[in-house]
């Protein structure tokens, strides 16, 4: 069986069987090392007591005395000096007593078969029902010498208590096996549920909750899995939204270009209109180009590995350069600019940070009326630097502030005027600043102006 349940089943049975074998080996070794000698000595004492009784009491009917002893649970084998043998009790399974051993006892020595018999197999000598596995003592009766060999009749001695104990072990084994099967089923149930849930996620179905209420490791795994599924679902939704936003943002300039290109085909078109249409096509193409650049920049920021190549550079100089590039726009809109820049060096990626200042400055320019004011301040602290870009333009209503960094999010300023934009600028600002370990704060009052403050760690 390849299932976890099947493996558990075979492992449990395997472990139970192995432990039974090990237990048997341990007990067997213990028997050979300790019990064998003791058992031999105990039985030797009994045999000697029997011999002593026969010799001192001289029972009138030796036969009946020996039969009585056999009935008490012993196997007795008597040999007289003519080598006539007699068995009392259930016969031995194997009659393998050597003649030499018989002679030795008839000569007056003791026979320690229970102690000295070598058992070839693991079966304990305790159970091997052989004539050689006995103790032997000599005795004299009516002037004749006899050899008495004996061992307990294990079958007879196996009383109800032994059966009860044996039964107990079997019942214990069955009950523990069955309960382990039930426990295993309970343990494996949530894994089956998790597998089904993982399959659903694999099919991009991110809905549904896992019905696993446990506090153990599997419960924690289920919780993490649930969180992961929700996150994946959220990402999936965002990805689809993003694609639809991108398609939409590409679609409208393309439609404009197509429309105006059709109009341009008219050879009768007056010169002025032709120029106007060409201008629209040009500006729409620029829009598409900047959209593509911004998307590429965002994609590079989304990489798992940070795209930043940090160096130490003068931030005030970079800000001056960005302002210099946009000065013509400031002049075109007749705006005044106040600059207060401390001499500050930071460690960061200048090419990405340049995009931050460009976006903040161009937004301030875009969303401020002709003749407005822009104020740029750079102040250096011990651990961080602050860059504040303030304008006295349109401002942003409070309800928009939380979504301002979302991709493609734009505030409708149509009440004042329509401004070109993609809704990607601030999300680029936010992501670049975050990659540098900093944050962006916004303070804005609708109709009065906005301040974007970027706080960057120096290192
Ligand atoms: P875009 O400017 O291309 O629309 P941004 O991501 O740069 O996209 O900005 C998102 C929105 O935030 C803009 O549509 C605009 O409404 C608002 N915004 C950004 N900067 C300012 C600002 N300085 N003053 C007023 N509104 C602003």
């Amino acid at each position: 069986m390849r299932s976890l349940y099947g493996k558990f089943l075979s492992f449990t049975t395997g472990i139970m069987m192995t432990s039974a074998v090990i237990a048997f080996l341990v007990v067997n070794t213990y028997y050979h090392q300790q019990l064998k000698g003791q058992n031999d000595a105990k039985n030797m004492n009994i045999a000697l007591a029997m011999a002593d009784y026969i010799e001192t009491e001289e029972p009138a009917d030796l036969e009946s005395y020996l039969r009585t002893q056999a009935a008490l649970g012993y196997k007795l084998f008597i040999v007289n000096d003519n080598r006539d043998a007699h068995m009392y009790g259930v016969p031995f399974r194997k009659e393998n007593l050597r003649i030499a051993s018989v002679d030795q006892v008839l000569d007056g020595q003791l026979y320690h078969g229970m102690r000295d018999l070598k058992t070839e197999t693991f079966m304990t000598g305790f159970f091997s029902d052989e004539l050689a596995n006995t103790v032997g003592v000599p005795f004299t009766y009516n002037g004749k010498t006899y050899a008495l060999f004996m061992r307990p009749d294990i079958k007879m001695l196996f009383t109800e208590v032994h059966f009860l104990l044996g039964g107990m072990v079997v019942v214990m084994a069955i009950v523990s096996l069955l309960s382990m099967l039930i426990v295993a089923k309970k343990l494996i149930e949530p894994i089956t549920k998790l597998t089904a849930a993982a399959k659903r996620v694999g099919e991009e179905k991110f809905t549904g909750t896992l019905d696993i209420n446990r506090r153990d490791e599997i419960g924690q795994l289920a919780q993490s899995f649930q969180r992961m599924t929700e996150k994946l679902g959220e990402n999936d939704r965002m990805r689809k939204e993003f694609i639809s936003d991108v398609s939409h943002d590409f679609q409208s300039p393309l439609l404009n270009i197509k429309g105006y290109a059709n109009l341009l085909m008219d050879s009768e078109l007056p010169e002025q209109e032709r120029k106007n249409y060409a201008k629209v096509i040009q500006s729409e193409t620029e829009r598409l180009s900047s959209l593509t650049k911004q998307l590429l920049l965002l994609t590079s920021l989304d990489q798992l590995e940070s795209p930043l190549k940090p160096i130490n550079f003068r931030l005030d100089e970079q800000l001056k350069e960005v302002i210099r590039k946009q000065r013509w726009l400031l002049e075109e809109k007749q705006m005044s600019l106040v600059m207060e820049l401390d001499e500050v060096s930071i460690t960061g990626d200048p090419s990405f940070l340049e995009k931050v200042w460009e976006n903040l400055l161009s937004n301030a320019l875009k969303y401020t009326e002709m003749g407005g004011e822009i104020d740029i301040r750079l102040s250096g602290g011990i651990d961080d630097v602050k860059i504040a870009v303030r304008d006295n333009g349109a401002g942003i209503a409070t309800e928009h502030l939380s979504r301002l960094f979302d991709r493609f999010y734009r505030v409708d300023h149509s009440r004042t005027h329509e401004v070109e934009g993609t809704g990607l600028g601030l999300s680029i600002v936010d992501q670049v600043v975050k990659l540098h370990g900093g944050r962006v704060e916004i303070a804005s009052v609708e109709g009065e102006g906005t301040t974007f403050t970027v706080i960057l760690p120096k290192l």
Side-chain angles (χ1 to χ4, degrees):
M1 267 189 265
R2 271 161 54 216
S3 71
L4 198 56
Y5 190 63
K7 277 186 187 153
F8 189 83
L9 187 84
S10 48
F11 272 129
T12 314
T13 333
I15 289 169
M16 283 177 94
M17 274 157 65
T18 320
S19 50
V21 170
I22 292 172
F24 176 75
L25 287 177
V26 170
V27 169
N28 198 45
T29 313
Y30 179 66
Y31 170 78
H32 281 289
Q33 300 293 324
Q34 301 282 326
L35 287 187
K36 215 161 112 171
Q38 288 173 16
N39 197 31
D40 181 279
K42 198 173 74 187
N43 282 287
M44 180 58 83
N45 282 342
I46 297 168
L48 285 170
M50 281 184 196
D52 186 50
Y53 177 82
I54 296 167
E55 284 181 351
T56 50
E57 300 297 324
E58 295 209 328
D61 189 352
L62 181 64
E63 282 275 315
S64 98
Y65 169 73
L66 292 171
R67 245 183 273 119
T68 317
Q69 295 304 314
L72 285 173
Y74 294 100
K75 291 178 175 223
L76 303 171
F77 185 76
I78 310 288
V79 188
N80 65 16
D81 46 9
N82 288 336
R83 296 243 176 84
D84 290 335
H86 241 285
M87 177 74 214
Y88 299 89
V90 183
F92 287 96
R93 193 174 51 82
K94 223 169 161 188
E95 297 205 347
N96 53 353
L97 187 64
R98 296 207 330 266
I99 301 284
S101 306
V102 176
D103 289 344
Q104 170 199 332
V105 177
L106 286 172
D107 276 352
Q109 290 174 36
L110 299 178
Y111 171 71
H112 287 280
M114 286 178 102
R115 183 187 66 197
D116 302 334
L117 186 76
K118 295 263 180 299
T119 40
E120 304 115 43
T121 58
F122 282 129
M123 272 310 290
T124 64
F126 192 77
F127 294 103
S128 60
D129 183 20
E130 302 171 21
L131 188 47
N133 189 18
T134 52
V135 289
V137 294
F139 69 89
T140 43
Y141 180 75
N142 286 345
K144 280 190 175 171
T145 308
Y146 293 87
L148 160 68
F149 295 88
M150 65 138 266
R151 63 173 275 111
D153 188 342
I154 299 291
K155 267 195 199 130
M156 260 184 92
L157 292 178
F158 249 100
T159 53
E160 289 81 352
V161 179
H162 294 95
F163 280 112
L164 280 178
L165 283 175
M168 207 171 87
V169 171
V170 172
V171 172
M172 263 166 67
I174 293 174
V175 169
S176 50
L177 193 68
L178 283 179
S179 17
M180 264 191 240
L181 292 186
I182 294 168
V183 170
K185 205 155 188 84
K186 278 253 165 279
L187 273 175
I188 287 162
E189 209 174 59
I191 297 180
T192 320
K193 281 186 188 166
L194 269 168
T195 315
K199 221 170 169 180
R200 275 204 308 277
V201 171
E203 289 160 4
E204 296 199 17
K205 292 176 190 150
F206 304 106
T207 47
T209 43
L210 264 175
D211 170 31
I212 300 175
N213 294 315
R214 300 164 64 127
R215 284 162 175 231
D216 55 9
E217 286 82 349
I218 293 182
Q220 285 166 11
L221 175 67
Q223 270 181 13
S224 310
F225 188 86
Q226 185 68 40
R227 274 200 296 275
M228 185 191 80
T229 313
E230 282 163 12
K231 191 92 198 129
L232 282 173
E234 172 74 10
N235 282 351
D236 187 57
R237 192 186 56 73
M238 274 166 63
R239 185 175 56 93
K240 285 182 179 146
E241 227 175 74
F242 183 72
I243 293 173
S244 112
D245 285 342
V246 172
S247 322
H248 179 262
D249 268 59
F250 271 89
Q251 197 59 23
S252 52
L254 282 174
L255 278 177
N256 282 344
I257 293 171
K258 190 178 163 206
Y260 285 106
N262 276 342
L263 289 176
L264 277 179
M265 287 212 253
D266 182 0
S267 50
E268 312 279 291
L269 207 64
E271 185 59 22
Q272 189 52 42
E273 279 189 41
R274 186 187 303 273
K275 273 189 184 158
N276 285 346
Y277 294 166
K279 245 186 203 156
V280 176
I281 292 179
Q282 195 183 26
S283 95
E284 289 297 65
T285 323
E286 269 163 19
R287 188 168 139 73
L288 279 178
S289 157
S290 89
L291 192 65
T292 322
K293 275 188 204 146
Q294 281 179 316
L295 282 173
L296 281 173
L297 184 64
L298 272 173
T299 317
S300 76
L301 291 172
D302 276 344
Q303 301 302 315
L304 224 50
E305 248 177 62
S306 165
L308 301 186
K309 293 190 180 71
I311 54 164
N312 197 272
F313 67 98
R314 282 277 293 276
L315 193 54
D316 52 313
E317 282 173 8
Q318 182 176 53
L319 281 166
K320 273 185 210 150
E321 182 60 22
V322 171
I323 294 163
R324 195 185 58 76
K325 277 189 204 156
Q326 304 215 9
R327 193 161 281 281
W328 66 274
L329 253 174
L330 280 160
E331 278 163 16
E332 200 178 75
K333 285 188 90 175
Q334 296 160 20
M335 295 177 76
S336 62
L337 178 87
V338 180
M339 234 185 347
E340 256 179 61
L341 308 176
D342 288 355
E343 281 186 11
V344 175
S345 292
I346 64 158
T347 304
D349 189 316
S351 59
F352 280 103
L353 283 172
E354 189 182 7
K355 298 278 176 276
V356 173
W357 321 131
E358 273 173 15
N359 272 302
L360 292 180
L361 185 59
S362 75
N363 275 354
L365 278 161
K366 263 197 291 186
Y367 301 107
T368 306
E369 296 286 332
M370 289 274 283
E373 248 179 55
I374 295 179
D375 182 5
I376 300 178
R377 275 165 214 275
L378 163 63
S379 49
I382 300 171
D383 299 321
D384 50 24
V385 294
K386 267 188 195 166
I387 305 96
V389 180
R390 191 183 62 78
D391 63 61
N392 62 351
I396 306 158
T398 328
E399 70 255 32
H400 299 294
L401 293 180
S402 61
R403 297 203 56 201
L404 225 50
F405 296 129
D406 289 358
R407 288 174 189 187
F408 294 107
Y409 190 78
R410 303 201 65 213
V411 182
D412 188 7
H413 289 285
S414 55
R415 268 185 302 133
T416 46
H417 52 87
E418 184 54 52
V419 193
E420 288 275 305
T422 58
L424 291 173
L426 284 182
S427 55
I428 292 175
V429 168
D430 182 54
Q431 233 166 317
V432 171
V433 171
K434 273 189 185 143
L435 276 176
H436 279 85
R439 63 180 197 279
V440 186
E441 287 172 359
I442 317 167
S444 186
V445 178
E446 209 179 0
E448 286 185 21
T450 311
T451 309
F452 281 91
T453 311
V454 176
I455 298 143
L456 287 174
K458 266 188 166 170
L459 268 182

